[in-house]
Structure formats: C-alpha cells, structure tokens
Amino acid sequence: NAGVTQTPKFQVLKTGQSMTLQCAQDMNHEYMSWYRQDPGMGLRLIHYSVGAGITDQGEVPNGYNVSRSTTEDFPLRLLSAAPSQTSVYFCASRAWEGGFYEQYFGPGTRLTVT
Amino acid sequence: KNEVEQSPQNLTAQEGEFITINCSYSVGISALHWLQQHPGGGIVSLFMLSSGKKKHGRLIATINIQEKHSSLHITASHPRDSAVYICAVVESQGNLIFGKGTKLSVKP
C-alpha cells in the first residue's frame, strides 16, 4: 500500500489564485480529513469526510472547499488564495484497528501565498 | 484556553537521559494519540491509548483519565529521537484536537 499520498509537496501561489491540493489513500478508509499546521499552533481541522459523498466542516473551513466523489480521493480546493493560507497542509485517513481509530497522515504540502 | 496543553514546549537532553513529555486536556475524550513529527515534516502515530500504559521499545505512554493527563516517556534517549512530539485527543465526534507539540533535541 502507498498509504496516504499528497501532491504537490511544495506550492507557491499569488494572492487570488486558485488551486487544488490532492490527497489519495489506497487503504479503503472511509474517514479522511484535512489539517493545516501553523507555527506555534497545533494542527487544526479544516474539513473532513466520513465517506464518499459526505463532507463536513472542521474548525477552520473558511476559504476552502472539499468534495468526496470516491473513497480514495479527497481534494482540498483554495478558490482565491490569501496570504493567511500560507501553511503546511496534511491529509489524513483513519481506520478502526484493535479497538481504536488509527490515524494515517500524508507527507504534507507546504503552501506559500505571496 | 487551549483544550490540549503540552509541556514543555522545548526540551533539550543529553544522549542517554530519561525524558518525559506531558499532555493535559480539558474535554471528554475516547482516546489519546501520541504522534511524532520529524524535521522532514512527516507525522507518524506512536501510540493510541484510552487507559493505563503502553510500551513500544524505549517509548512508554501512560494516561490517567480521571486526571485528564497523559505522559510520554523516552528511556535511554538517542539523537535519532529528536523530533516534535504531538499529543492529540479524540473528541466526541471522533475528530482530533491537537496540542502544539514538544520539540525535543537530544545531543550526543
């Protein structure tokens, strides 16, 4: 299994540009999520999905859209990038294993908005 | 007030020292994770626990549900243990709430 993959690894955008961060997992996990990590702060939940066709907002959803058309893919869209969205973005999935939800994280995407 | 607090924020140790990182939380949880993030950025899960104690190699994690507190211990620390250690709790809807992390540096 490749686990959770994210592309791109690095991205620089200008204010107002749009882009999609890709996330895919090959473990058939129903639950997937997006987090952002900023200096001096813990990871914060942006959006999550409990299965194909179902998405919900997390703690910091403004400025981001998601969709879940398949179990494998959970892209994160920035419609009009702002400097405040400069961050490292992590996609994750989870599975019920041994009585707990085990978390699997992607390698992250470092986004800079100028 | 942060719902998950970690201490210390930064920790420098000499190789071989016993290390303790603490995590306190203020919300009801179903489980707690300890995660490790290396300088390259990747995050891996070290432990999940909801009671008692777990051990994996030189790492030990404990949790006291009544006191809403967990600790991560590293015995015989090594420079390769240098990383950010993150505590994350599983809240009622199953989502994670993260602490800010503890940056550990182990000097040879």
Side-chain angles (χ1 to χ4, degrees):
Chain A
N1 288 345
V4 180
T5 59
Q6 290 183 238
T7 55
K9 282 191 184 301
F10 302 94
Q11 182 71 50
V12 179
L13 290 178
K14 294 188 188 303
T15 297
Q17 286 185 317
S18 62
M19 80 159 296
T20 299
L21 308 186
Q22 301 292 345
C23 175
Q25 51 91 13
D26 60 357
M27 299 173 281
N28 203 33
H29 293 167
E30 293 292 333
Y31 181 99
M32 296 183 73
S33 53
W34 277 102
Y35 301 93
R36 59 177 289 171
Q37 185 178 39
D38 301 297
M41 304 188 74
L43 280 82
R44 291 180 292 169
L45 181 65
I46 304 171
H47 285 283
Y48 65 99
S49 169
V50 297
I54 306 169
T55 63
D56 207 346
Q57 296 181 351
E59 180 186 355
V60 288
N62 292 342
Y64 307 96
N65 281 349
V66 291
S67 60
R68 186 92 180 272
S69 56
T70 67
T71 299
E72 293 77 21
D73 300 298
F74 189 42
L76 179 72
R77 297 184 186 84
L78 285 71
L79 298 178
S80 179
S84 60
Q85 294 178 305
T86 294
S87 188
V88 181
Y89 292 85
F90 289 94
C91 178
S93 68
R94 78 179 190 200
W96 186 254
E97 295 176 7
F100 293 100
Y101 280 119
E102 177 63 275
Q103 302 282 336
Y104 297 85
F105 289 87
T109 294
R110 185 174 294 273
L111 176 68
T112 302
V113 183
T114 61
Chain B
K1 182 182 184 298
N2 292 327
E3 293 167 306
V4 181
E5 298 271 6
Q6 284 186 239
S7 63
Q9 285 188 308
N10 294 283
L11 182 55
T12 299
Q14 287 299 126
E15 183 173 356
E17 285 185 356
F18 181 84
I19 289 163
T20 296
I21 299 170
N22 295 300
C23 175
S24 297
Y25 53 91
S26 58
V27 295
I29 70 167
S30 58
L32 182 145
H33 291 260
W34 281 103
L35 309 166
Q36 182 189 57
Q37 185 173 28
H38 273 285
I43 299 172
V44 296
S45 178
L46 297 174
F47 293 103
M48 296 173 291
L49 62 168
S50 62
S51 64
K53 177 179 171 178
K54 284 191 174 181
K55 184 175 190 291
H56 184 248
R58 294 180 295 105
L59 301 179
I60 303 166
T62 64
I63 188 168
N64 185 317
I65 295 293
Q66 287 73 30
E67 295 185 3
K68 296 189 173 180
H69 182 269
S70 176
S71 294
L72 176 68
H73 305 286
I74 305 175
T75 62
S77 60
H78 190 276
R80 65 175 175 266
D81 297 325
S82 298
V84 176
Y85 292 84
I86 301 170
C87 171
V89 301
V90 183
E91 49 85 9
S92 58
Q93 291 191 327
N95 295 319
L96 294 178
I97 305 174
F98 294 81
K100 294 181 181 180
T102 294
K103 185 174 182 180
L104 172 64
S105 177
V106 182
K107 305 292 186 189

